[in-house]
């Protein structure tokens, strides 16, 4: 099968499933099995793509996505006839076709290590969430149709390399999510759903403005990309990112604005303080499987947007903002942890823990220690940070989906999520307790489990960027441990006769939990299993950002300001923070 | 620029053929009226509605065929592709812009005629259908008008018919109030508009749009309105008139009351057909005739009409959306929504004045207006459905429609999403095309218009709140009472066609955008009078000689020169 077809199938299969399911007879079991089949097929396709990516004689993994995307070209062969000459390199996992030629909009899909890891996560979490949806008994057809539509759009977001196409998938995601929360959610579902919708729409409006500014910018006319003069008017994110990181076409001021817009847009989705308030509401009201998807995949789309769009498209803007963004990340970590500690609702606690964990993603991205002491470009530490951010997204995708699932399991039985009423469940449900322990410790970042690797990478990188922020971020681990351990104590430990006789997890629930538990452990012990193929893509992105002439310009300007203020003594963390704050 | 290669002579008879759809519809209005008087005098109202509706629809379908002959080759030989003609002494355009847009208006009209008889709201069915047909004739002429006076007459004929049909609902006083309010506001606005046009005539000495343009655009490019007091007054007066027709803030006060009070079919025609034609007229007056007054070439911030129109646009979308948030009546909600939508489209009108690629901007305006019209007509069909079954058209009346009528609810969902501007529906692409055309300006213009674009996008997010309330009612509320118990075909067609248009042109926008852009090019270019091209073979009785033609050219040159002198700042005339 050609690589073009298989990439398209990744989103076409669930979309087709979502339409076909409406035509099935009114048989709940059949509908559920069909949806599960489609989800498994999608996961299978994602794994197949993974095989194509790393396997074979000349795997796509060895060359940069940017080069692969550029090798596929569209040329106007015959303008009158409207025929297009598409040069397609077979087997390179990039698809490029014209879609709306009038505006240079293309159907451009492609994968690299970053998107592939998230595609696999999406496939896996969707299969598990689909299994977790077995208890849905209200309007089953509608539910699974929307579920598959959501899956299709999530796949599309991670596949799209055309900014317009990306935006289309990004927006299509909203509608199924709105209905899934608003119809199948808890008591206050309508409020939560509209809040989610409006927050995300405002965020996407900002993203679209940012994309349009990039599209229409008329900068340095001498700029050229791959030997061709560059004049913007392109939605190809690889092409535009190359212009941003190898030329001065997009000057520092415009990059600063564009970065601010993209950042704000994706921070809503991530979410990070101060745009996080939709998350606790949406999570608490959403049904369990949708919470799993929301935490496991949707939040990652915010992080993916940062890695794929915000940083590569505006590296100098990112560098100029980095101090502020890193501080925001650290603040989110601490704020999320403290807020989680204050919750009495089990699900809300897990939701705030997501805010805290996503703070590590922001910090890892923003800790742009790009230059060595002698001023030479040395992005090694920054690569740690971005790798850590990516790993945090994957680890959090596994553990948070697991945590929301565990909350759902107990809610189905006890019909309460009040931490004050729970307790003593270990005696009643020992398997539940064991699984809960692994997943919660994984989320806490216990060494040997998945969360630890990510936190270490991020904090290491942050140390090179700003010691004070790193210390705060590292100390926040204590807060994380605090709320996780306290939760374990309040849910599982102690004696509580009230819950006597609750059944332990059944077979279906164990099937859902098993992959999550296994991955939590495996990802903690063998991080290379993922990083070996994901991290080259990260390093390419980091190198591009670090070598951008505009980033150098920002650094030189900063140095000049610093030199004007007189030679400082070896700065310690506090001075560095104060300087960072005043400079940026 | 227009193609100036001499075209073969077009005989006079062919000019009549070229406006055959308009003539046919005007006649058919009389046929419907007479048929009503002659055959249905004593028939019950519902039956009259059905028969006359079918009669009017038949006539419209024939007009549609005639209009189709202007797009595709036919035995009539009047296809207008790739031509840039004006006919009847340069008063009407006969080019792809009229061909494509009249097609869109006539399809909308057919849907409206299918919709109208569903709900028995009046005793005056003959008058209703005749006035709808005549207002459509005026819309078609308005789209084709190439000359200020023709344009004004068409605009007035159109609104005059609409004033009456707004007041036709039998049982409710609100309907009379709607018609009266519309009439009072409308006539005052028309007076302002006419005054503005007369000033333009006084300043340029011509009423032909392209002659006005030539008089205003100097050899060094546009000068804007710097120091030109008479020109500024003319522009402001014209803007008052146009603002009323487009229901743009601050001339929008009539719209919510009229939309709510008027029967749904009448309100839908005010919101769709009339608005589509008015936007074409506004584009022609502002971007074509007064193009030289938009702003100085390359800098939209300088004095000119671009700035006030941008402000009107910003105010319309913001105020329209904010006011819509708290509406409970479905038609009133649509009224505020259409005020906001007019604000988005005005971004495209500004762009048509200052963009480097005005054809792209006008293409975006036309694309947006066509898709918006289909979506809005579908939404009004739902309002008519509610009013027919329940007697009211509140938002709550939609409760539970999703369960009782899943397909219809899905169509309404598509329309609402398209109106919000969510991909993959046509509204999204239309909005994007409008905003992208606004950014396609020079270096300085881009920055100033970026704010307008950002405001537009933020407004789309705000608008989601009230459009989603429709979805909430349909899907999240239990069904109450009789809503959607029966499904009249008059509701089925506008709704499904609207949804199909929103989906199809959202996925393949090029299919509509390309004809619209093809229509925009001749709309902006100066139409050649085919008779002026070769005077020797002119079919008119008094054939002008070469000398006459030369004299006419000299006279026109002098007029333009005089106009230009009057426009110089500081001269006593200005």
């Amino acid at each position: 099968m050609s690589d073009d077809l298989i990439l398209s199938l990744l989103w076409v299969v669930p979309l087709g499933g979502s339409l076909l399911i409406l035509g099935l007879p009114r048989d709940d079991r059949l509908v559920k099995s069909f949806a599960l089949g489609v989800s498994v097929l999608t996961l299978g396709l994602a794994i197949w793509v993974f095989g194509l990516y790393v396997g074979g004689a000349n795997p796509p993994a060895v060359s940069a996505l940017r080069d692969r995307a550029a090798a596929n070209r569209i040329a106007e062969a015959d303008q009158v006839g409207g025929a297009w000459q598409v040069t397609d390199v077979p087997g390179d996992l990039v698809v490029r076709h014209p879609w709306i030629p009038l505006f240079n909009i293309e159907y451009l899909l492609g994968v690299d290590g970053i998107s592939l890891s998230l595609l696999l996560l999406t496939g896996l979490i969707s299969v598990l969430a689909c299994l977790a949806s077995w208890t849905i008994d209200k309007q089953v057809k509608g539910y699974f149709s929307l579920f598959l539509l959501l899956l299709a759009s999530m796949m599309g977001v991670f596949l799209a390399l055309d900014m317009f196409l990306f935006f289309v998938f990004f927006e299509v995601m909203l509608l199924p999510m709105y209905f899934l929360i608003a119809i199948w959610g808890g008591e206050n579902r309508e409020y939560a759903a509209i809040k989610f919708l409006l927050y995300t729409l405002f965020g996407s409006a900002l993203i679209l403005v940012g994309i349009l500014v990039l599209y229409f910018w008329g900068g340095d006319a001498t700029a050229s990309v791959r030997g061709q003069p560059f004049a913007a008017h392109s939605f190809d994110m690889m092409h535009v990112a190359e212009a941003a990181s190898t030329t001065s076409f997009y000057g520092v001021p415009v990059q600063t604005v564009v970065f601010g817009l993209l950042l704000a847009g994706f921070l809503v989705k991530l979410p990070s303080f101060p745009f996080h308030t939709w998350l606790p509401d949406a999570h608490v009201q959403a049904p369990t499987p949708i919470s799993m998807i929301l935490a496991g995949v949707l939040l990652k789309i915010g992080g993916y947007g940062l890695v794929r769009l915000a940083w590569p498209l505006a590296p100098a803007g990112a560098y100029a903002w980095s101090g502020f963004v890193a501080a925001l990340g650290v603040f989110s970590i601490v704020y999320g942890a403290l807020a989680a500690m204050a919750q009495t609702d089990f699900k809300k606690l897990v939701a705030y823990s997501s805010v805290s964990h996503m703070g590590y993603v922001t910090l890892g991205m923003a800790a742009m220690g790009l230059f060595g002491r002698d001023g030479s470009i040395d992005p090694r530490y920054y690569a740690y940070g971005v790798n850590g951010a990516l790993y945090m997204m994957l680890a959090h995708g596994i553990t948070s989906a697991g945590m929301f699932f565990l909350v759902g399991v107990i809610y189905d039985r006890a019909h309460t999520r009040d931490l004050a009423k729970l307790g003593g469940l270990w005696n009643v449900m020992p398997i539940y307790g064991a699984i809960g322990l692994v997943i919660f410790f994984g989320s806490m970042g216990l060494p040997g489990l998945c969360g630890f690797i990510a936190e270490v990478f991020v904090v290491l990188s942050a140390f090179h960027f700003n010691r004070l922020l790193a210390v705060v971020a590292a100390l926040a681990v204590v807060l994380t441990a605090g709320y996780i351990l306290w939760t374990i104590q309040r849910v599982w430990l102690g004696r509580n006769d009230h819950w006597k006789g609750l059944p332990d997890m059944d077979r279906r629930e164990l099937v859902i939990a098993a992959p999550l538990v296994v991955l939590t452990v495996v990802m903690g012990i063998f991080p290379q299993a993922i990083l070996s193929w994901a991290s080259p893509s990260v390093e390419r992105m980091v190198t591009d950002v670090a070598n951008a002439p505009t980033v150098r310009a920002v650094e030189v300007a900063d140095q000049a300001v610093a030199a004007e203020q007189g030679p400082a003594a070896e700065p310690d963390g506090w001075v560095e923070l104060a300087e960072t704050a005043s400079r940026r | 620029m227009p193609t100036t290669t001499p075209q073969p002579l077009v005989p006079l008879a062919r000019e009549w053929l070229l406006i055959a759809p308009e003539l046919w519809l005007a006649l058919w209005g009389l046929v419907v009226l007479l048929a009503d008087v002659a055959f249905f005098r004593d028939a019950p109202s519902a039956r009259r509605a059905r028969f006359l509706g079918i009669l009017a629809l038949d006539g419209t379908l024939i007009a549609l065929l005639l209009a189709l002959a202007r797009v595709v080759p036919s035995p009539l030989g009047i296809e207008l592709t790739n031509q840039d003609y004006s006919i009847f002494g340069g008063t009407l355009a006969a080019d792809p812009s009229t061909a494509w847009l009249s097609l869109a208006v006539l399809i909308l009209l057919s849907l409206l005629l299918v919709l109208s008889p569903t709900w028995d709201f009046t005793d005056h069915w003959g008058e209703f259908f005749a006035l709808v047909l005549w207002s459509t004739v005026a819309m078609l002429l308005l789209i084709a008008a190439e000359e200020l006076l023709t344009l004004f007459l068409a605009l007035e004929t159109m609104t005059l018919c609409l004033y009456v049909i707004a007041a036709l609902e039998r049982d409710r006083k609100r309907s009379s109030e709607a018609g009266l309010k519309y009439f009072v506001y409308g006539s005052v606005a028309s007076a302002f508009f006419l005054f503005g046009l007369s000033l333009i005539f006084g300043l340029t000495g011509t009423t032909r749009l392209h002659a006005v343009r030539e008089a205003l655009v100097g050899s060094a490019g546009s000068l804007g309105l710097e120091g030109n007091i008479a020109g500024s007054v003319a522009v402001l007066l014209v803007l008052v008139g146009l603002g009323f027709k487009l229901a743009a803030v601050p001339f929008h006060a009539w719209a919510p009351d009229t939309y709510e009070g008027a029967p749904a079919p009448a309100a839908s025609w005010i919101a769709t057909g009339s608005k589509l034609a008015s936007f074409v007229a506004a584009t022609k007056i502002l971007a074509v005739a007064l193009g030289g007054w938009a702003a100085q070439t390359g800098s939209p911030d300088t004095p000119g009409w671009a700035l006030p129109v941008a402000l009107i646009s910003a105010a319309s979308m913001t105020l329209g959306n904010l006011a819509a948030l708290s509406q409970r009546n479905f038609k009133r909600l649509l009224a505020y929504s259409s005020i906001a939508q007019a604000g988005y489209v005005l971004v495209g009108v500004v762009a048509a004045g200052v963009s480097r690629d005005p054809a792209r901007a006008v293409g975006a305006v036309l694309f947006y207006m066509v898709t918006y019209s289909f979506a809005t007509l579908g939404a009004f069909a739902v309002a008519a459905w509610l009013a027919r079954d329940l007697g009211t058209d509140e938002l709550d009346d939609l409760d539970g429609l999703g369960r009782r009528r899943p397909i219809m609810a899905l169509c309404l969902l598509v329309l609402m999403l398209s109106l919000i501007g969510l991909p993959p529906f046509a509204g999204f692409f239309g909005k994007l095309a409008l905003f992208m055309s606004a950014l396609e300006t020079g270096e300085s213009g881009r920055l100033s218009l970026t704010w307008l674009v950002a405001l537009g996008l933020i407004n789309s997010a705000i608008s989601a709140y009230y459009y989603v309330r429709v979805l909430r009612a349909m899907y999240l509320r239990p069904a109450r009472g009789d809503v959607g118990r029966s499904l009249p075909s008059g509701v089925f067609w506008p709704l499904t066609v609207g949804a199909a248009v929103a989906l199809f042109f959202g996925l393949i926008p090029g299919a509509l955008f390309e004809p619209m852009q093809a229509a925009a090019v001749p709309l902006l270019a100066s139409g050649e009078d085919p008779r002026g091209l070769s005077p020797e073979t002119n079919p008119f009785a008094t054939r002008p000689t070469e000398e006459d033609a030369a004299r006419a050219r000299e006279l026109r040159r002098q007029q333009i020169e005089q106009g230009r002198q009057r426009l110089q700042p500081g001269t006593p005339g200005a």
Side-chain angles (χ1 to χ4, degrees), chain B residues 496-557:
Chain B
T496 44
V497 170
V501 164
L503 185 63
F504 182 76
F505 293 125
L507 291 175
I508 311 166
L512 181 62
F513 200 90
E514 272 158 27
M516 287 301 128
Q517 193 160 0
V521 174
L523 196 149
L524 288 167
S526 69
E528 292 287 346
D529 185 348
R531 282 170 304 178
L533 291 174
S534 57
E536 295 80 19
T537 43
N538 196 307
F540 280 109
T542 53
R543 298 186 172 203
T545 60
E546 187 55 51
E547 277 169 36
D548 292 334
R551 206 160 49 231
R553 274 199 293 275
E554 175 62 18
L555 195 67
R556 189 158 150 215
R557 201 191 56 74

Side-chain angles (χ1 to χ4, degrees), chain B residues 20-351:
Chain B
E22 288 86 350
L23 293 175
W24 174 262
L25 268 191
L27 275 176
W28 201 257
L30 279 177
V31 169
V32 171
L33 202 57
L34 290 175
D36 183 34
V37 177
F39 305 117
F40 299 108
R41 198 68 283 186
D42 305 318
S45 165
R47 218 177 122 229
R48 278 168 67 197
R50 213 168 46 246
F51 279 108
L52 291 173
I54 291 170
L55 190 65
L57 185 64
D58 290 341
T60 306
L61 291 179
I62 292 172
L64 197 60
L65 282 180
L66 290 172
L68 208 59
R70 298 198 288 207
V71 179
V72 291
S74 69
L76 286 178
I78 52 169
E79 78 270 14
L80 294 172
T81 30
N82 300 323
Q83 292 171 357
D84 185 22
Y85 283 160
S86 57
I87 49 175
F88 291 105
T91 53
L92 292 177
D95 55 37
S97 72
T98 44
W100 285 104
L101 291 172
S102 59
L103 212 55
V105 170
L106 286 171
I107 295 173
L108 284 167
L109 174 68
S110 332
L111 293 176
L112 176 77
L113 292 175
V114 173
L115 167 68
S116 301
T118 357
W119 171 37
D120 180 23
F121 58 85
T122 182
D123 295 323
H124 305 281
W125 282 107
E127 291 88 335
F128 175 80
F129 285 119
L131 285 168
V132 166
L133 293 183
W134 288 334
S135 70
T136 312
V137 174
M139 285 168 202
L140 298 180
L141 292 176
L142 186 56
I143 287 167
E146 284 283 279
E147 193 253 325
L148 290 175
L149 209 58
T150 316
L151 188 140
F152 179 76
L153 288 176
L155 198 64
E156 279 316 286
T157 314
M158 176 183 88
T159 30
L160 213 56
C161 297
L162 295 175
Y163 296 147
V164 182
I165 61 169
L168 269 187
E169 190 173 343
R170 167 180 51 202
D171 301 329
R172 290 202 314 172
K173 282 198 180 134
R174 293 297 301 270
S175 177
S176 316
E177 184 197 333
L180 191 64
K181 224 168 212 166
Y182 190 27
F183 173 67
V184 171
Y185 273 95
S187 41
V188 174
S190 295
F192 277 107
F193 187 54
L194 191 58
F195 192 11
L197 296 188
S198 69
L199 277 177
I200 292 173
F201 174 71
L203 288 170
T204 59
T206 174
T207 57
R208 292 183 53 176
L209 297 177
H210 288 280
V212 172
R213 183 188 180 83
E214 280 168 42
L216 297 183
V217 181
S219 52
S222 312
L223 294 170
L225 278 169
E226 182 88 60
N228 187 345
I229 295 170
S232 308
V233 171
V235 162
L236 283 180
L237 292 171
V238 165
L239 283 184
V240 172
L242 290 176
F244 165 81
K245 304 291 177 202
L246 306 176
V249 174
F251 317 107
H252 67 289
W254 60 275
D257 288 338
T258 302
Y259 283 31
E260 188 189 354
S268 72
W269 205 224
I270 296 172
T272 58
S274 131
K275 208 164 221 181
L276 173 62
S278 301
F279 258 108
V280 176
T283 313
K284 279 189 169 175
I285 292 188
L286 292 175
V288 179
L290 303 183
W293 280 346
Q296 272 176 35
T297 306
S299 41
D301 292 340
T302 50
W305 59 257
L307 208 60
V309 174
L311 290 178
I312 291 176
S313 154
S316 295
M317 50 193 172
T318 312
L319 214 83
N321 278 326
L322 291 182
L325 292 179
S326 59
Q327 299 308 322
R328 307 205 59 79
N329 181 283
F330 187 46
K331 279 196 303 192
R332 210 173 169 83
L333 182 107
L334 288 175
Y336 280 111
S337 129
S338 91
I339 292 171
Q341 305 277 350
Y344 303 137
V345 186
L346 282 172
V347 176
V349 176
V350 174

Side-chain angles (χ1 to χ4, degrees), chain A residues 22 99-103 105 138-139 164 167-172 174-175 178-179 182-184 189-191 193-194 197-198 200-210 212-213 215-219 233 235 261, chain B residues 356 360 403 410 413 417 420-425 428-429 432-433 435-437 439-441 443 446-447 450 453-454 457-462 464-465 468-469 471-472 475-477 506-510 513-514 517:
Chain A
L22 294 172
W99 179 21
I100 308 172
L102 219 50
F103 290 92
I105 295 168
K138 179 174 151 193
Q139 299 178 46
F164 185 90
F167 190 80
V168 168
F169 282 122
F170 189 82
E171 294 274 270
V172 168
L174 297 181
L175 191 74
Y178 170 80
F179 280 115
I183 299 182
W184 290 271
R189 53 188 181 244
E190 286 183 16
Y191 168 76
I194 191 81
L197 186 79
L198 289 181
T200 319
L201 272 177
F202 275 111
S204 55
L206 298 179
I207 294 169
L208 191 56
V209 175
L212 289 180
V213 170
Y215 184 89
F216 284 105
W217 191 252
H233 288 77
F235 281 117
L261 291 166
Chain B
R356 286 184 297 202
R360 174 74 58 97
R403 232 145 297 163
L410 201 64
L413 170 106
L417 295 181
I420 298 176
L422 279 185
F425 302 108
F428 169 69
F429 185 79
L432 199 67
F435 293 163
M436 283 174 75
S437 68
L439 294 175
E440 194 69 76
T441 49
E443 195 65 37
R446 192 182 304 130
L447 221 67
T450 302
V453 169
L457 288 169
I458 299 287
N459 262 302
S460 312
I462 297 177
Y465 179 77
V468 166
R469 283 177 57 195
L471 311 189
R472 193 177 64 177
Y475 287 103
L476 309 184
R477 299 265 182 272
L507 291 175
I508 311 166
F513 200 90
E514 272 158 27
Q517 193 160 0

